[in-house]
Amino acid sequence: MEKVDILSLDLSELEDILSANGEKKFRAKQIFQWLHVKRVFDFDKMTDISIQLRHRLKEIFCINGLFVQKRLESHIDNTVKYLYRLHDGNFVETVLMEYSYGHSICVSTQVGCKMGCRFCASAIAGYVRSLEPSEILMQVYETERDAGVRVSGIVLMGIGEPLDNYDNVLKFLRLVSDKNGNDLSLRHVSLSTCGIVPKIYQLAEEKLQLTLCISLHSPDNDKRSEIMPVNRTYNIDELIKACRYYIDRTGRRITFEYAVINDVNSSDEDADRLAALLRGINCHVNLIPVNKVKERDYKTARSGVAEFAKRLGRRGINATVRRTLGSDIEAACGQLRRDAAEQSRNGGADA
Ligand code: SAH
């Protein structure tokens, strides 16, 4: 019988499995806290559980760990980037960032990505599979352990499209915010999507307190379709309609992400069209100087981003420029995994 991935279970599921195996329900809470509060991932170390039950737990459950394959520390700003190896040999990336108010972590939701955004390194390395809730969660737990910190915020902006792994991402959100476990308020979580419209409607009904971020990157359908193929399925009008619905339903402000790319989406006309598109929407624009990806020659002029922000501001749109972190360690998502995947294809053992 295949073992159950215990870190992907919520408390009630754990209770059900224990009851079905003739165990007392209250044991579930004890075990849940060993895992999610004490972060003990070895049944033998759960000392207030009888040896007999520990033995039984090992028969029923598995605890899927992550292994640090590579760890890069920025000398500029203390950003740490992890390449994690999963139990099946695949790789994902996680980035730990330091801010004045604490630490924030950027987690991956899939091994690779199907969305094919032109400027993104994750698309170049190809899609393999979605992550389990436990694999998203363990990026947080393992990074906290390795770095000796407790993160105060999580962004789902690593490799993958979170809304293309909807059920597992939702489960992760419930686990990470569970009062009996990790207990992080979803107000400190941001979920970024390229714009899978039906899933935005579905997410609106969950009424979560998280911040929804939309990767917009152009106010023009032709241009957006060119750099983000998802726009051919869900165009800008449909996307903005879904965003308006989301804001109405949840009462939460949306963040629009916009990577400013020279000669692609950085003109005054782009700024004016963006401002017109977003007028009257309860939102915030986060401008991102485009991260260099070696396969592409997209560039940003830093001064151009500031000008773009000012122009939006003059048109009543609140915009900030994202700080560039970890510029000396390829912190843009997907770059380490792409290199590791390339090396193993070429027969190199060491990623
Ligand atoms: N799939 C999700 C989340 C992962 S990407 C999404 O598309 O939103 C997280 C953010 O980084 C997105 O806004 C994405 O468009 C942006 N991004 C990807 N590659 C980038 C690059 N080279 N430079 C700047 N931003 C990039």
Side-chain angles (χ1 to χ4, degrees), residues 119 214-228 231 235-237 239-240 256-261 264-266 270-271 273-274 277-278 308:
F119 44 81
I214 305 285
S215 301
L216 188 58
H217 304 317
S218 174
D220 175 85
N221 270 315
D222 289 342
K223 230 185 254 178
R224 189 166 190 267
S225 294
E226 217 172 276
I227 54 173
M228 299 182 71
N231 196 68
N235 69 25
I236 294 175
D237 296 343
L239 177 58
I240 295 296
F256 288 98
E257 295 161 280
Y258 196 103
V260 185
I261 312 171
V264 175
N265 62 2
S266 61
D270 287 311
R273 289 186 63 181
L274 180 63
L277 181 69
L278 302 183
F308 201 91

Side-chain angles (χ1 to χ4, degrees), residues 106-107 109-110 113 115 117-122 156-163 191-195 213-217 228 256-261 288-293 298 300 322 332-333 335:
C106 175
V107 296
T109 54
Q110 296 181 310
C113 187
M115 299 299 136
C117 298
R118 290 284 302 159
F119 44 81
C120 182
S122 303
L156 284 84
M157 293 190 186
I159 300 172
E161 167 49 48
L163 298 188
L191 183 155
S192 177
T193 177
C194 62
C213 305
I214 305 285
S215 301
L216 188 58
H217 304 317
M228 299 182 71
F256 288 98
E257 295 161 280
Y258 196 103
V260 185
I261 312 171
I288 318 169
V290 74
N291 275 309
K292 264 193 124 131
V293 174
Y298 290 138
T300 301
R322 182 177 298 171
C333 57
Q335 310 206 16

Side-chain angles (χ1 to χ4, degrees), residues 70 337-351:
K70 206 168 194 176
R337 176 183 165 258
R338 174 206 58 202
D339 293 348
E342 262 171 22
Q343 289 202 6
S344 57
R345 265 200 300 277
N346 298 335
D350 183 13

